[in-house]
Amino acid sequence: AAGVIQSPRHLIKEKRETATLKCYPIPRHDTVYWYQQGPGQDPQFLISFYEKMQSDKGSIPDRFSAQQFSDYHSELNMSSLELGDSALYFCASSLGRGGWNTIYFGEGSWLTVV
Amino acid sequence: DAKTTQPPSMDCAEGRAANLPCNHSTISGNEYVYWYRQIHSQGPQYIIHGLKNNETNEMASLIITEDRKSSTLILPHATLRDTAVYYCIVSSYSGGGADGLTFGKGTHLIIQP
């Protein structure tokens, strides 16, 4: 079965640069979530989109933005990168929103800021 | 979303049943109990979820107490590949947004050969 696809899988950027992560949800899924997991930390919810509209917002820094496109894929844009942004970024998707809809995760994108 | 409490770590012998407890004493009526696991630096993997009835699938069983204040995830025949951090998460349908999952500290389950 198709899963959530994330690209790139690994990314190295310098401080103050910009990075863009892409997420392709499971086919027919209309809801996308972004999570950040720092070294030794648990995943932290950043932001979500439902039907191309921002739906919920977590601990996403102001330097980050995201959007969901007409084909339901999503991109997370990170600007003015800091060393502390080095983390594993997960995208997840679900069909519909709400507690009864199972959320499936991608394998993540490793961002290293040097 | 209600908070959950899990033991930080547990050991289980290979081939035995692994029983992972979770306390969610402040759970409300519209909140589901989800279990995910994360094998080192991989994407969290969905295991099972339930509202108030016990649930079983090919991976595990979920036992929810009648008052819904706690639950137990059961892996019936643990293998070395089940070594992972297991997260018990309570999630609700807010009606106003796509609620993300709030991950707590989880239980690091170590399967011993």
Side-chain angles (χ1 to χ4, degrees):
Chain A
V4 178
I5 305 298
Q6 294 187 241
S7 69
R9 294 297 310 280
H10 300 271
L11 191 59
I12 300 175
K13 290 286 186 178
E14 294 188 354
K15 279 177 19 180
R16 292 179 290 277
E17 284 193 320
T18 297
T20 298
L21 305 180
K22 295 185 178 183
C23 170
Y24 297 87
I26 291 172
R28 297 193 306 115
H29 280 196
D30 51 15
T31 308
V32 169
Y33 312 78
W34 286 98
Y35 288 80
Q36 177 192 58
Q37 186 172 25
Q41 303 294 313
D42 303 299
Q44 297 294 314
F45 170 68
L46 293 178
I47 196 168
S48 62
F49 292 85
Y50 169 67
E51 282 291 344
K52 294 153 279 184
M53 299 288 289
Q54 180 181 311
S55 187
D56 200 12
K57 203 170 182 181
S59 53
I60 185 169
D62 292 340
R63 298 176 290 107
F64 293 10
S65 65
Q67 61 183 83
Q68 186 179 29
F69 295 86
S70 58
D71 64 351
Y72 294 104
H73 93 273
S74 179
E75 295 183 2
L76 177 66
N77 299 294
M78 300 172 284
S79 62
S80 303
L81 287 169
E82 303 173 355
L83 296 178
D85 296 328
S86 295
L88 186 52
Y89 290 82
F90 290 110
C91 175
S93 74
S94 66
L95 177 61
R97 50 189 179 159
W100 58 80
N101 293 304
T102 303
I103 298 174
Y104 297 94
F105 286 78
E107 287 306 310
S109 292
W110 281 100
L111 171 65
T112 302
V113 181
V114 297
Chain B
D1 291 339
K3 290 188 176 179
T4 61
T5 303
Q6 299 177 251
S9 65
M10 292 181 62
D11 287 350
C12 179
E14 189 177 17
R16 304 296 293 269
N19 296 276
L20 291 89
C22 179
N23 182 287
H24 31 79
S25 58
T26 59
I27 193 170
S28 60
N30 67 343
E31 290 182 317
Y32 286 73
V33 179
Y34 274 85
W35 283 85
Y36 281 78
R37 72 181 182 183
Q38 187 176 28
I39 297 169
H40 182 62
S41 296
Q42 296 181 19
Q45 179 187 23
Y46 166 77
I47 300 173
I48 198 167
H49 74 286
L51 184 61
K52 54 184 178 181
N53 297 321
N54 297 337
E55 302 288 344
T56 295
N57 63 21
E58 64 278 4
M59 288 184 68
S61 295
L62 173 60
I63 308 297
I64 303 174
T65 58
E66 193 169 342
D67 63 8
R68 303 211 321 126
K69 292 184 177 182
S70 65
S71 61
T72 301
L73 177 74
I74 302 173
L75 306 178
H77 305 287
T79 70
L80 297 178
R81 287 177 295 180
D82 292 322
T83 293
V85 178
Y86 287 76
Y87 294 99
C88 169
I89 301 167
V90 173
S91 181
S92 66
Y93 175 57
S94 68
D99 288 1
L101 300 172
T102 301
F103 287 81
K105 289 299 178 187
T107 295
H108 187 193
L109 175 66
I110 299 171
I111 306 301
Q112 304 283 0

